[in-house]
Every structure is written in structure tokens, then in C-alpha cells.
Amino acid sequence: MDKELRRYIPDTDIYLFNSGDARKAWLCFGCTWVAELKLHRFVLWAPNARAVSVVGDFCGWNGYEHPMQRNADGFWETFAAGLKQYDAYKYAVTSAQGRTVLKTDPYAFHAETRPGNAGKLYDLRGYRWG
């Protein structure tokens, strides 16, 4: 991953997650809007995966458009442009055995109404807590 983009993935949060001391993992993992870059950042922990990509409404659920890169600690990372609020998404995770399954983001800020179970892009900055 490009060094310029890599600085937007907090190493401290990854260290705390690995040590079992993460108190605000939602700030690092899942999908986060990076306003400075005008990109969405995706981070997932899948240490045994062979490959991971982000799929969703924004790419016709095509697993080849947004592949993620694996770092040394088993975290998968990517940045994506052109996504919109409420776009549904999942991770296409390919196992070590070569089987690909769609997984919902455990850190998604919003989700589809059942029977769907995809995460939905949602920017919490505009949400008014009551």
C-alpha cells in the first residue's frame, strides 16, 4: 500500500487490538470516511484469508474491483472512491482452501433491514444522538 495512504491506518489501534487492549476498535476497523482524501477506508482482520475484497452496490458486487491488501499482521486494507451514503457492502473473503464467502462487516455503523444482512455505508458525523 502507498505510504501516503498507509498513514491513515492507525498503527496504535492495530497494536492495541493485537494486545487485547483495544477500547475503540470501531475507530480503526470497518468502513470509515476519510474526508481529507475523499475516500472510504476499509480495514478487516482476517489472518487466515488467502484474499479479501470489498463488494457492494457501488461495484455491482464485483469481487475484482476493490481488492484489499494484506499487511504483516493479518489485517486487510483498502481505500475506495465514489461510494455513497447507504450503499450496501460486504467483504468477499477467500479462505486458505480457495472458497469465497461474503461476510458482513462486524464494525458496520449501519445495516440492511432483514432479510438482508449487508453493512451500509453511514457517516456518523451527521447523526444527532438523543
Side-chain angles (χ1 to χ4, degrees):
M1 173 170 291
D2 176 294
K3 276 187 174 181
E4 180 64 24
L5 293 177
R6 184 69 180 94
R7 71 186 188 95
Y8 289 93
I9 299 171
D11 289 328
T12 303
D13 288 338
I14 289 175
Y15 169 80
L16 291 171
F17 182 84
N18 281 333
S19 67
D21 292 323
R23 300 283 190 273
K24 295 182 180 181
W26 57 273
L27 291 172
C28 177
F29 296 101
C31 178
T32 305
W33 171 247
V34 181
E36 185 177 329
L37 300 174
K38 295 185 173 40
L39 297 171
H40 283 88
R41 178 191 75 198
F42 293 88
V43 179
L44 175 72
W45 185 64
N48 297 317
R50 180 188 295 175
V52 180
S53 62
V54 180
V55 297
D57 294 338
F58 45 86
C59 65
W61 297 86
N62 177 346
Y64 297 103
E65 259 189 65
H66 297 287
M68 299 179 80
Q69 294 179 336
R70 186 182 195 278
N71 75 18
D73 296 319
F75 294 91
W76 294 82
E77 313 154 337
T78 197
F79 289 81
L83 285 59
K84 301 182 311 287
Q85 179 101 314
Y86 302 116
D87 276 350
Y89 73 97
K90 289 186 177 188
Y91 296 109
V93 180
T94 303
S95 71
Q97 295 76 29
R99 182 171 171 245
T100 301
V101 294
L102 296 180
K103 296 291 210 170
T104 300
D105 185 352
Y107 289 96
F109 292 137
H110 189 48
E112 284 184 310
T113 304
R114 64 181 178 269
N117 64 356
K120 295 190 82 122
L121 297 175
Y122 190 76
D123 185 359
L124 285 179
R125 292 174 302 160
Y127 184 77
R128 293 183 48 90
W129 294 92

